[in-house]
Amino acid sequence: MKQYLPIWTHEWLGVALPILQIVLVIVVAWGLRKAAHRVLNQLSDRWELPPEVKLGGRRLSTFLIYFAALLIILERLGVSGTVLWTAFTGFAAVAAVAFFAAWSVLSNIFCAVLLLITRPFRLYDHIELLDGSDGRGLGGQVVDMNLISVTLRETHEDGHEAHLRVPNSLFFQRITRRWREAPPPRPLPDPDAPRKRSRQQQAGGGGASLF
């Protein structure tokens, strides 16, 4: 192939070919990801799979495709498979030690498995976590579920939205209310609420008897 190209381009072939190969790998990986998501959507519509299974399948397929593409790109750059495997096992060992050191992370992962099995709520349900008081607790529409937390979309009276990330373990520590329909919009947070609460506590403590 070099004999058909100008002489001044020979020096650039060693740089241009790896770049073209990397771009081709990225394009193929992107196409495979789109195709995998399309297949998962068709299977989900045909078999009426739960949204959690569909979301988990999309994330798993994306991770596997992009991870394989990363390995191919590193191999094109001259990184050997032995070095990659050594780095991966080392990272896995460090991650395992870190997970065992952070018990809260392990607790949330275990609670995520229990939420998937028991299914007290599903994706896009409207739920609320009651804290035992008369006021409304954390609540909103479930828009995402992962191994660490559940994301709730909270809608206020003025139409603005906010996203709350609730740890999975909190669902086993409080009572969960599940709405059949969308609940009324939540009132705007009172910026003076902490000050009023502290005044009430001071007023209650000041009138207490010493005996």
Side-chain angles (χ1 to χ4, degrees):
M1 179 179 178
K2 288 185 177 181
Q3 60 269 22
Y4 300 103
L5 297 175
I7 299 178
W8 62 271
T9 60
H10 294 178
E11 298 179 358
W12 294 95
L13 288 178
V15 179
L17 287 180
I19 293 177
L20 292 177
Q21 292 175 351
I22 291 174
V23 172
L24 180 61
V25 169
I26 295 176
V27 172
V28 172
W30 180 81
L32 289 176
R33 175 179 172 272
K34 289 292 185 181
H37 288 184
R38 188 179 297 109
V39 171
L40 288 173
N41 291 335
Q42 293 177 355
L43 292 177
S44 178
D45 296 337
R46 180 178 180 181
W47 299 100
E48 297 182 356
L49 299 177
E52 298 87 348
V53 177
K54 178 181 176 181
L55 182 62
R58 289 167 64 95
R59 289 179 174 175
L60 180 61
S61 62
T62 300
F63 172 77
L64 294 177
I65 292 173
Y66 282 161
F67 183 73
L70 178 62
L71 293 180
I72 296 175
I73 291 174
L74 292 177
E75 184 180 0
R76 293 293 91 191
L77 294 177
V79 181
S80 63
T82 304
V83 175
L84 291 177
W85 179 251
T86 303
F88 176 75
T89 53
F91 175 78
V94 173
V97 173
F99 277 137
F100 278 105
W103 288 104
S104 60
V105 176
L106 288 177
S107 176
N108 288 324
I109 294 177
F110 180 71
C111 291
V113 177
L114 292 180
L115 288 177
L116 182 62
I117 295 175
T118 59
R119 302 181 70 181
F121 53 86
R122 299 183 180 182
L123 206 61
Y124 308 121
D125 283 350
H126 294 270
I127 63 173
E128 182 179 357
L129 289 175
L130 304 180
D131 55 1
S133 61
D134 295 335
R136 299 182 65 178
L138 299 175
Q141 186 180 18
V142 181
V143 295
D144 188 22
M145 301 174 63
N146 53 47
L147 294 177
I148 305 299
S149 62
V150 173
T151 303
L152 303 178
R153 182 168 57 199
E154 186 181 45
T155 304
H156 297 287
E157 293 178 343
D158 58 354
H160 290 83
E161 296 180 351
H163 288 81
L164 305 176
R165 294 188 180 274
V166 184
N168 294 327
S169 59
L170 193 61
F171 291 96
F172 294 91
Q173 301 173 9
R174 295 186 180 182
I175 300 174
T176 303
R177 173 186 292 165
R178 181 179 177 184
W179 298 82
R180 291 184 177 273
E181 298 178 356
R186 304 178 67 85
L188 293 174
D190 187 5
D192 296 332
R195 188 181 306 172
K196 295 178 181 177
R197 192 180 300 111
S198 61
R199 289 178 180 176
Q200 293 176 357
Q201 292 176 358
Q202 292 176 2
S209 176
L210 299 176
F211 298 98

